[in-house]
Amino acid sequence: MIAEFPGGLLLIAAGLALPWLPRALRAPVAVAAPALVFLQLLAIAPGYRLEVDAFGFALTLVRADRLSLAFGYVFTIAAFLNAIFGWQVREGPEQPAALVYAGSALAAVFAGDLLTLFVFWELSAVASALVIWARGTPRAYRAGMRYLVVQLVSGMLLAAGAALRYAESGSLAFEFIGLASPGGLLILVAFGIKCAFPLLHNWLQDAYPEASATGTVVLSAFTTKLGIYALARGFPGTEALIWIGTAMTAFPIFYAVIENDLRRVLAYSVNNQLGFMVVGIGLGTDLGLNGAVAHAFADILFKALLFMSMGAVLLRAGTVNGTGLGGLHKSMPLTTGFCMVGAASISAFPLFSGFVTKSMIMVSAAEQGHDGVWLVLLFASAGVFHHAGIKIPFFAFFAHDSGIRCKEAPTHMLVAMALAAALCIGIGSFPGLLYAILPWPVHYDPYTASHVLSQLQLLIFSALAFSWLMRNGIYPPELRSTNLDFDWIYRNPGKRIALGALEAMAALRAELDAMVRRSGTALNGWLRTHHALDGALAKTWSTGGMALWVAAMLAAYLIVYFL
Amino acid sequence: MEHGDDANWLDRPGNVRRLYLGLWVIGALLVVADLVVHRHAEVGFDGWFAFYGAYGFFACVALVLAAKRLRRAVMRPEDYYDR
């Protein structure tokens, strides 16, 4: 029976039950639930479907195939690691919300129709906003509110697109969607918001760094990768995605170089890595799509590892601003090591996970003759090493000694980081394990002498550029600052216009109010003249008069009847 | 030494310099390896001698210089949105 129960719902149920459990049981349950669901997924064969009738529709609650299973495995692994990393968080809404969030993202991945997808799409949005709010600061509250509005807009667009498609085709099935219908375009924008397409991206950099040390790790795994999954399912081979993805790989790295909050730097690099996946989906070849899925899998793990290391720094040092840190390798040597594994993985060093996944997308772009795209992706690869691979560990753990002396991260955090690091190295060193679960057969070998050499050259010379710029004082120093990005539009003029509109509405309302009052007074006067006790229309009529009129009416009726 | 009690290998400027030079040596070896290893070109021009090294170096310098310019346009005080 338990084997039949959808894993996503199981996680949601565990999350809802968590606050009612004794404190000592909460963390073990939060760890055990995803582990159980992972084992359950291993037992599910591709092709399994679970259909139910609800709301008058035949809904596909679970559609397991190689694409949904690949995302299912990594989502449960991420939820498991997150629960270990957050072992000590036993109070407040964060852990329950994190489990509901992971469960709804998992359920959305297995949704076989657009209505089921929509329900879990929205639930994951609300649960993730709770994860942000759980930090309890006013900043987190406001950022979470902005985040939630954007996520709900995505849900509305998905619902509208699904409704249009249903009206057109009579089917809610979540298969290839494409841009042939107007509904398809709406759904693409809905997915695009989750994937943080350019200009739709700022919710990510805005909200993720405002969550708690543990919360940001939770957030980094699910929402954007759910978007990537949905895109791979609904829009493979959509050419526009090649260009959108290419832009996504490039523009965030400029911001990442000048950003001071190291978790925000990582949020920009989330954006950049998503770009690679979007390009792979746009290419639509077996290699490109496999690359997108493989890179999403690897990215969830190394990004979790990087966010964990920065979470540990935030917990121990009290800040993750580049300006306040430096020299922490003395206090936190293990965290430093794990961070560098994550950095090597995202930078695609040979033997680390990014090396065996990102290159699939780049080779596919080259094979399809997209030389310009390939050049931008190569630039972005160098750039991601620069800002995530070097800048993050350098400013946190090395650079000038900030004088901060703190304890090493707590044991449970170190365990979570060690597991994530082991997975990053495992995937990078034995790529066959990951390739075996990809949706399409893989005929690609990342470990050729040519690939290893070219990648090492790219990375070592990027590192040389960093050191050279640093030693010559050209590298821009970390500065306490806010860098304006596209969200300025809705956080400054947009906000002013909205506030101005509210004021204008208030003024208009006051005006209308006064008008109503004035006309009310006039009406009142008129009513008094005619309807007050002595008014012409308020006089009582005599019963006799009434009887006479009734008699007249009956007579008229009789006459009409006999005629 | 500023932090005398827990100063380690990296605190000595000479060692940082040695690391930096070591990086150049590795880079030079990788460029030399280009002559030995037959690289399989993916788009054609990436088969050029030391293409990846040169591209990596100049891409990163260009990235940083452009980002410094970007900072002039977009940098605001830290509490910009909170005021």
Side-chain angles (χ1 to χ4, degrees), chain A residues 317-532:
Chain A
T319 176
V320 275
N321 285 342
T323 42
L325 295 173
L328 280 181
H329 72 279
K330 293 175 185 172
S331 305
M332 307 177 82
L334 293 172
T335 304
T336 307
F338 293 135
C339 179
M340 288 174 77
V341 171
S345 301
I346 194 175
S347 313
F349 262 95
L351 302 181
F352 294 88
S353 59
F355 182 76
V356 304
T357 56
K358 192 164 67 179
S359 50
M360 299 169 91
I361 298 165
M362 298 196 52
V363 168
S364 179
E367 278 178 358
Q368 301 296 303
H370 289 291
D371 291 7
V373 170
W374 183 87
L375 267 179
V376 177
L377 296 188
L378 194 65
F379 169 71
S381 301
V384 74
F385 175 48
H386 202 84
H387 75 256
I390 304 178
K391 173 176 170 162
I392 294 281
F394 182 78
F395 283 106
F397 301 110
F398 302 101
H400 70 283
D401 194 331
S402 60
I404 296 177
R405 294 293 177 268
C406 56
K407 283 199 284 185
E408 177 58 278
T411 313
H412 61 96
M413 288 191 170
L414 291 174
V415 170
M417 285 191 271
L419 288 173
L423 286 168
C424 289
I425 297 173
I427 291 171
S429 306
F430 306 100
L433 297 175
L434 176 59
Y435 291 173
I437 60 154
L438 293 180
W440 293 272
V442 179
H443 313 284
Y444 172 70
D445 176 17
Y447 284 105
T448 62
S450 169
H451 182 208
V452 173
L453 175 61
S454 49
Q455 184 67 10
L456 281 177
Q457 262 192 25
L458 182 79
L459 295 177
I460 293 298
F461 277 88
S462 302
L464 278 169
F466 180 86
S467 332
W468 179 75
L469 291 165
M470 198 55 112
R471 290 178 76 84
N472 288 287
I474 305 171
Y475 198 86
E478 295 294 282
L479 294 174
R480 302 179 68 90
S481 61
T482 296
N483 295 312
L484 303 186
D485 197 343
F486 191 73
D487 57 344
W488 179 79
I489 298 284
Y490 57 80
R491 292 177 72 180
N492 194 333
K495 188 175 158 194
R496 275 192 219 164
I497 290 168
L499 288 178
L502 277 180
E503 261 171 44
M505 298 255 282
L508 188 66
R509 216 196 111 173
E511 187 60 36
L512 279 175
D513 223 33
M515 229 162 83
V516 169
R517 263 171 222 277
R518 278 198 301 274
S519 48
T521 321
L523 182 69
N524 198 10
W526 180 82
L527 281 177
R528 269 174 193 282
T529 356
H530 297 284
H531 291 271

